[in-house]
Amino acid sequence: MERRDHESVFTRSLQDPEGFWGEAAEAVHWYKKWDKVLDDSNKPFYRWFAGGEVNTCYNALDLHVENGRANQPALVYDSPVTETTKTFTYRELRDEVAAFAGALAAQGVSKGDRVIVYMPMVPGAVVAMLACARLGAVHSVVFGGFAANELAVRIDDAKPKVIVSASCGIEVNRVIPYKPLLDEAIDLAKNKPEKCIILQRPMEPAELTPGRDLDWDEAMRAATPHDCVPVLATDPLYILYTSGTTGEPKGVVRDNGGHIVALKWTMKNIYGVEPGEVYWAASDVGWVVGHSYIVYAPLFNGNTTVLYEGKPVGTPNAGAFWRVISEHKVSVMFTAPTAFRAIKKEDPDGEFIKKYDLSTFRLLFLAGERSDPDTLQWAEHHLGVPVIDHWWQTETGWSICANCLGIEQLPVKHGSPTRPVPGMDVRVVDADNREVKTGDIGALVIKLPLPPGTFPTLWNADDRFIESYLAEFPGYYKTADAGYIDEDGYVYVMSRTDDIINVAGHRLSTGGMEEVLAAHPDVAECAVIGVGDELKGQLPLGFLVLKAGVDRDHANIAQETVNMVRQKIGPVAAFKTATVVKRLPKTRSGKILRGTMQKIADGQEYKMPATIDDPAILDEIAVALKGVGYAKGT
Ligand code: COA
Ligand code: AMP
C-alpha cells in the first residue's frame, strides 16, 4: 500500500511529477485526456496536461449535479451588511450560471474573450466568474477597494469585451457607489468595453448608460442557458492582477486543467476536507484566496462554500465569525491573521466565542501575511482547534508551504508555515544562486517546474514573466520572499525582497505609491516605506522632499498626497500619513535607504550603512518620524 506520510508523498511528487499529478487528474472530468502530463518542450514555459480538454465550470457544478449533489447547498451567501442569507444548491447555482453564461454569450462573449468583474461580495460575482469559465472566456476580477485609475489600467491590459459590475458595495455601514468608479475608469481607459452588465442593488441603484449598460436582471430574463464549452487544459481561465515593483500591475494567468487538478487535490490533502462539508474562506473574490478558496476549490471538491459580505469586527461585533461558523455549520475556515488581530483587539478574552455552538468547527487556516505567534496562539487557545499557518502568493495560486492535514499532521512550530507541500521544491539561495546552509537566510525560490495550477506566464508579457520571476535565479522561480529552512525542513518566511508591503493581508507596491506622490506639483522627490502596525501588519508611510521655493503649509501638502493615493490607487492602500523632510538618506550611488528608514520608524536597531552619503540625514528622518508618531525609542 502507498505510504501516506508527508515525506514519502512529497518525495514522490518531485521524483515522479507526471505520475503524481497524472493520478490526481483522474479525479477530474475530462472531455479528452491529455497527451502529456507535463510538456517541457518550451522551457522555461511548462505546460500541464497539454492536449487535454476540460471545462472548469463543469467540474465545479454540473459534475456534482449529475453525481448526486444537486440538492446539496453549493453556495451560502451571508451578508450582515444587508441582513441577508441566501443558499444556492448545486442545481440552483448551475442554473444561474448557465443563464448568465447565456447572457454573456448574447453580448458576443465567447471562448478566449476577456470579461472584467468589478463587484462586491455578492453571489453575482461568483456567478459571473463561473459563467465565464463555462464559456471558456477569461475573467479578470478587480477588487472593489481599488480606485477608478487602477481599474482603467486593468481594462487597458485585459481589453475586456464586457465588464460585469454592481451599482454599489457596502463597507460596514457605508454605501460605496461602484458605478461612478466604473464610468470614470471606462473614460480613462483607451480600450472601451462594448457592454457593461450592472447588478442593481436596492441600497443605491445606478443610472445606466443607454446603449452600453444592461441591467443584470433583464439580461438574465432574456438569456438562453448556455452549456459548458470544452477548452484546452492549457487555455487561460483567468487573469488576476497583482502588485509589482512599479505602479504597473502584473496580470497573473491561471490555466484550466492544471488548476482544477491541483485545487481539487489540495482540498483533501492540504485542508483535510471531505466532499459535503462546509468550507469558509473569509476573504474577497478580488484576491487570490477568494478565487481559489471561496469559488473554485470548494466547488471542485463538492463542498458548500460560504460567501461572506462583512468584516471580522463591526458587522456588528467581534462575534461575527463565530456566528457564521455556528449558523452554517462550518468545518474548516481560512482567513488572514489581520482578521484575528482585529477580533483579539476588541474581544481579548474571547467572550463572544463562548456564545456560539462551534461543535462542527475543526480547523483554522491562516495565510496572506506572516502569522505572528501571539495571534496564532490566541486563536489556538480560544478556539481549541489546530491553527495552521500556510504560505502562498497570488502567483502560485495555492500554498507553497503548509501542514498538509490530509496527508500527515506535522508538529506545529510557531512562526513557520511548516514544510513545502508536494510539488513545491523550495530552496534558499544566495545572490549567486548557490544554496545556503541550513538555517541561513537567503532568497526563497522554487525549483522549476512549478506544479500544476500555478503560474504559466503573465498576460501578454512572457518577457516580463521571465525577467521578473525566472531570470535572477536561473532554474528557479523567485518568490521575492526571504527566509530560511531549519534542520527539520520547516520554512520561515521573514520579509519581501522587493518593495511590496502587506497591509491587512493586502499586497501593495510602495513603488506604485511613490509614482503617485511624485506627481504632486510641489514634490521634488519622495519615498514610501512600510512601517509596522499592530492591526494591519504594515502601513505605508510617505516622505516628501519639496521643490525649492515651495513655502506652502507642509501639513496641507501631506494631506493632498494622502488624498491623491486614495484617489489614484484606492482606499485599500490605507495611505494615511506623509511627512515633509529636507532630504532623503541615500547611498553614494544615489539609492534611497528605505530599509534603514523603516528600521528607524519601527524603533529597531540599525547599522549605519557604510555607503551612506551623509549620516546626519538619519537624525533629521528620526525627528520627522517622531512628528508623525513613529521612531519611538530612537
Ligand atoms: N470596496 C470599497 N472600499 C473598500 C473595500 C471594497 N471592497 N474593501 C476595503 N475598502 C476600504 C475600507 O472601507 C477602508 O476604507 P477607509 O480608509 O475609509 O476606512 C480601506 O479600504 C482599507 O480597508 P481594510 O484594509 O480592509 O481596512 P478596514 O479597517 O476596513 O478593516 C480588517 C481591517 C482587518 C478588518 C480587514 O482588512 C479584514 O477583514 N481583513 C482580513 C481578511 C482579508 O480580506 N484578507 C485578504 C487576503 S486573505
Ligand atoms: P498575495 O500575492 O497578495 O497573496 O501576497 C503574497 C505575499 O504575502 C507573499 O509573498 C508573502 O510575502 C506574504 N505571505 C503570504 N502568506 C504568508 C505566510 N503564511 N507567512 C508569511 N508571509 C506570507
Side-chain angles (χ1 to χ4, degrees), residues 242 288 366-371 389-395 417 479 481 493 496 502 505-507:
T242 190
V288 67
L366 298 175
E369 55 173 329
R370 195 178 146 73
S371 273
D389 176 21
H390 60 327
W391 167 50
W392 51 300
Q393 312 180 304
T394 304
E395 287 86 345
T479 66
D481 279 313
V493 184
R496 291 285 299 195
N502 199 313
H506 307 139
R507 173 168 155 180

Side-chain angles (χ1 to χ4, degrees), residues 366-448:
L366 298 175
E369 55 173 329
R370 195 178 146 73
S371 273
D372 53 292
D374 263 6
T375 303
L376 204 138
Q377 278 160 338
W378 183 89
E380 280 176 340
H381 174 71
H382 288 287
L383 292 170
V385 299
V387 180
I388 308 296
D389 176 21
H390 60 327
W391 167 50
W392 51 300
Q393 312 180 304
T394 304
E395 287 86 345
T396 64
W398 52 284
S399 42
I400 307 168
C401 286
N403 202 337
C404 297
L405 294 194
I407 299 175
E408 178 193 3
Q409 186 166 350
L410 296 172
V412 169
K413 292 195 191 188
H414 292 137
S416 166
T418 321
R419 288 166 52 172
V421 303
M424 299 278 186
D425 191 357
V426 179
R427 311 281 175 100
V428 186
V429 295
D430 64 17
D432 298 322
N433 204 18
R434 282 185 310 230
E435 278 190 57
V436 302
K437 288 203 307 292
T438 300
D440 282 2
I441 290 199
L444 289 165
V445 296
I446 307 171
K447 195 158 183 282
L448 297 175

Side-chain angles (χ1 to χ4, degrees), residues 123-138:
V126 178
V127 168
M129 290 166 77
L130 289 164
C132 290
R134 196 169 186 87
L135 294 174
V138 181

Side-chain angles (χ1 to χ4, degrees), residues 465-542:
F465 169 68
I466 293 178
E467 181 201 320
S468 306
Y469 297 101
L470 308 181
E472 193 173 338
F473 303 108
Y476 297 106
Y477 161 78
K478 176 177 88 171
T479 66
D481 279 313
Y484 64 94
I485 302 182
D486 75 6
E487 62 286 356
D488 297 321
Y490 280 57
V491 176
Y492 291 76
V493 184
M494 306 308 289
S495 61
R496 291 285 299 195
T497 56
D498 53 13
D499 64 359
I500 299 287
I501 58 170
N502 199 313
V503 179
H506 307 139
R507 173 168 155 180
L508 299 162
S509 158
T510 54
M513 292 186 223
E514 287 176 5
E515 284 171 24
V516 175
L517 302 190
H520 189 287
D522 294 337
V523 172
E525 225 187 342
C526 64
V528 175
I529 59 168
V531 291
D533 181 74
E534 237 178 65
L535 176 65
K536 298 197 178 190
Q538 282 185 301
L539 276 179
L541 173 66

